Amino acid sequence: GQRFRQVGRELAETVILAVLIFFAVKAVIQNFRVEGASMEPSLQSEQYLLVNKALYFRVNMDRVHEFLPFIPGDDGQERHLFRPPRRGDVVVFSFPLDPSRDFIKRVIGVPGDTVEVKDEQVFINGSPLHEDYILATPNYTYGPKTVPPGEYFVLGDNRRNSYDSHA
């Protein structure tokens, strides 16, 4: 009986530990499948990606301040555990018009940037953006518009075949 209880306890501990590890990994890393041609040539349709979700974790400093009063609260700025998205990062996000769908795009403009597309060229704050990852230049015009706080301007690498921030 003693040996049976010990094996049962070890088995239960192993299962609980495995479940905890599974959820911890799932909270930080997730796989996504590329659907469509909007990120070609960088990413191909049906390709699988592993995404590090922890990189952009947002931190609510007001909540932290409630528990640790010596740490200042939120000053109106968005805080991230590691870093916010940067221009050039490829990101996965929920499509705003249908949150059940995920989109994969490249960050072009960060909060405060002025984005304009004209003469088949993307301009950030009046300067042309060097993009060696696209094959075809954009065949549309956009802006100039300033990216609001807490938002990002994203485009697909396949500029002529992408439903993104310009639309």
Side-chain angles (χ1 to χ4, degrees), residues 84-96:
R86 296 180 192 155
R87 189 177 303 116
D89 287 356
V90 175
V91 295
V92 179
F93 59 95
S94 296
F95 177 48

Side-chain angles (χ1 to χ4, degrees), residues 10-89:
E10 287 180 15
L11 181 62
E13 288 174 353
T14 302
V15 169
I16 291 170
L17 184 60
V19 168
L20 289 174
I21 290 171
F22 171 79
F23 284 115
V25 168
K26 191 71 173 163
V28 175
I29 299 172
Q30 189 169 349
N31 65 320
F32 288 93
R33 188 173 61 115
V34 178
E35 295 178 11
S38 71
M39 284 300 291
E40 289 180 353
S42 302
L43 302 173
Q44 306 299 317
S45 187
E46 306 300 318
Q47 187 176 10
Y48 282 92
L49 307 174
L50 284 178
V51 176
N52 176 0
K53 298 190 309 185
L55 185 61
Y56 305 138
F57 275 162
R58 292 184 185 158
V59 178
N60 182 336
M61 294 307 291
D62 285 336
R63 298 280 291 186
V64 173
H65 179 71
E66 286 178 21
F67 294 102
L68 304 169
F70 55 88
I71 294 179
D74 213 353
D75 55 1
Q77 292 185 341
E78 186 175 75
R79 306 277 181 167
H80 293 84
L81 186 58
F82 296 104
R83 68 172 180 86
R86 296 180 192 155
R87 189 177 303 116
D89 287 356

Side-chain angles (χ1 to χ4, degrees), residues 32 91-96 98-99 101-106 154-155 163-165:
F32 288 93
V91 295
V92 179
F93 59 95
S94 296
F95 177 48
D98 181 1
R101 295 182 60 203
D102 293 315
F103 270 24
I104 302 171
K105 305 292 179 195
R106 187 176 302 272
V154 296
L155 294 175
Y163 187 64
D164 46 35
S165 291

